[in-house]
C-alpha cells in the first residue's frame, strides 16, 4: 500500500493511494451504470398482474440491484419476486428475476417515490448475461479515459 504524508495545517495526513484509486474507479463505474441504464437501455419493472413501469437504476452488482420508482401506484413489498426488463431494442429485452429485500422512500430534487434494493436470482439463464454486463462495466471503469472540460 502506497502511503504518503502531506502537510495539512501542520498535521501529517496519510493518503492511501490504493483506496483513492478504488474509490475513483467505483465513482466512474456508477456514473457509467447510470448513463447506460437510464439513457441507452430502457429498464422497466414488471410485477405479476400489474403493468410495466419505468424505473431508474441507481446501482447494480453481481448480487443485487438498486432502483427507484417515482410515485409508484402499486408499491413493491419486501419478499416480492418481480422481473426487470432491460430493453436493448424497442422490442427485445432481457428479463431479470429479482427478490425485493427492502423498500425505502426517497425525496430527491423534488422527486419522490421508493428505492428498492433487490437480490438477483442467479439461477436463471439471463444471469450470465447480466454478469457479463457488470463485468464489462467494471473493466470499462478501470481503464476508461475522460475528456477534460
Amino acid at each position: 500500500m502506497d502511503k504518503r504524508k502531506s502537510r495539512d495545517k501542520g498535521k501529517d495526513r496519510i493518503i492511501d493511494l490504493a483506496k483513492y484509486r478504488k474509490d475513483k474507479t467505483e465513482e466512474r463505474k456508477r456514473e457509467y451504470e447510470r448513463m447506460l441504464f437510464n439513457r441507452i437501455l430502457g429498464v422497466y419493472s414488471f410485477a405479476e398482474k400489474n403493468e410495466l413501469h419505468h424505473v431508474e437504476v441507481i446501482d447494480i452488482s453481481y448480487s443485487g440491484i438498486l432502483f427507484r420508482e417515482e410515485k409508484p401506484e402499486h408499491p413493491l413489498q419486501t419478499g416480492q419476486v418481480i422481473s426487470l426488463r432491460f430493453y436493448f431494442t424497442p422490442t427485445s429485452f432481457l428479463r431479470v428475476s429479482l427478490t425485493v429485500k427492502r423498500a425505502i422512500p426517497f425525496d430527491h430534487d423534488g422527486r419522490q417515490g421508493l428505492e428498492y434494493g433487490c437480490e438477483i436470482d442467479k439461477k436463471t439463464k439471463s444471469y450470465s448475461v447480466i454478469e457479463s454486463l457488470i463485468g464489462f462495466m467494471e473493466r470499462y471503469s478501470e481503464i476508461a479515459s475522460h475528456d477534460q472540460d
Side-chain angles (χ1 to χ4, degrees):
M1 185 180 319
D2 187 3
K3 295 180 181 178
R4 298 181 185 180
K5 293 183 180 181
S6 69
R7 290 171 194 84
D8 186 17
K9 296 181 183 175
K11 296 180 183 178
D12 286 342
R13 193 178 98 197
I14 296 177
I15 300 170
D16 184 343
L17 292 178
K19 181 179 179 334
Y20 174 79
R21 285 185 195 108
K22 182 179 177 188
D23 291 347
K24 201 68 171 158
T25 298
E26 184 65 24
E27 181 182 318
R28 274 191 240 130
K29 177 181 167 275
R30 288 177 191 263
E31 177 185 341
Y32 182 66
E33 285 173 356
R34 289 186 185 111
M35 193 254 327
L36 176 70
F37 289 119
N38 298 318
R39 293 190 182 157
I40 297 173
L41 297 178
V43 183
Y44 295 84
S45 69
F46 182 76
E48 289 293 317
K49 300 179 184 160
N50 292 328
E51 45 189 54
L52 288 174
H53 299 279
H54 182 264
V55 297
E56 177 186 359
V57 175
I58 304 299
D59 194 17
I60 189 167
S61 69
Y62 292 107
S63 60
I65 187 166
L66 177 67
F67 66 91
R68 334 183 133 144
E69 186 175 19
E70 285 189 48
K71 302 175 186 172
E73 291 181 31
H74 305 284
L76 303 174
Q77 304 300 313
T78 301
Q80 186 174 356
V81 176
I82 63 162
S83 292
L84 277 190
R85 293 182 179 186
F86 291 81
Y87 280 85
F88 289 81
T89 72
T91 58
S92 69
F93 61 88
L94 179 67
R95 178 179 284 124
V96 179
S97 182
L98 308 169
T99 302
V100 178
K101 294 297 183 179
R102 67 178 190 279
I104 302 169
F106 77 87
D107 187 349
H108 187 291
D109 290 336
R111 299 170 41 220
Q112 298 174 340
L114 290 171
E115 276 187 1
Y116 298 104
C118 301
E119 180 178 46
I120 299 172
D121 184 350
K122 296 179 181 178
K123 297 179 214 134
T124 62
K125 290 180 186 178
S126 62
Y127 180 72
S128 65
V129 178
I130 290 296
E131 185 177 38
S132 296
L133 185 61
I134 294 166
F136 167 78
M137 288 186 296
E138 284 184 347
R139 287 186 292 285
Y140 173 84
S141 65
E142 290 169 2
I143 63 168
S145 299
H146 290 273
D147 288 332
Q148 301 297 323
D149 291 335

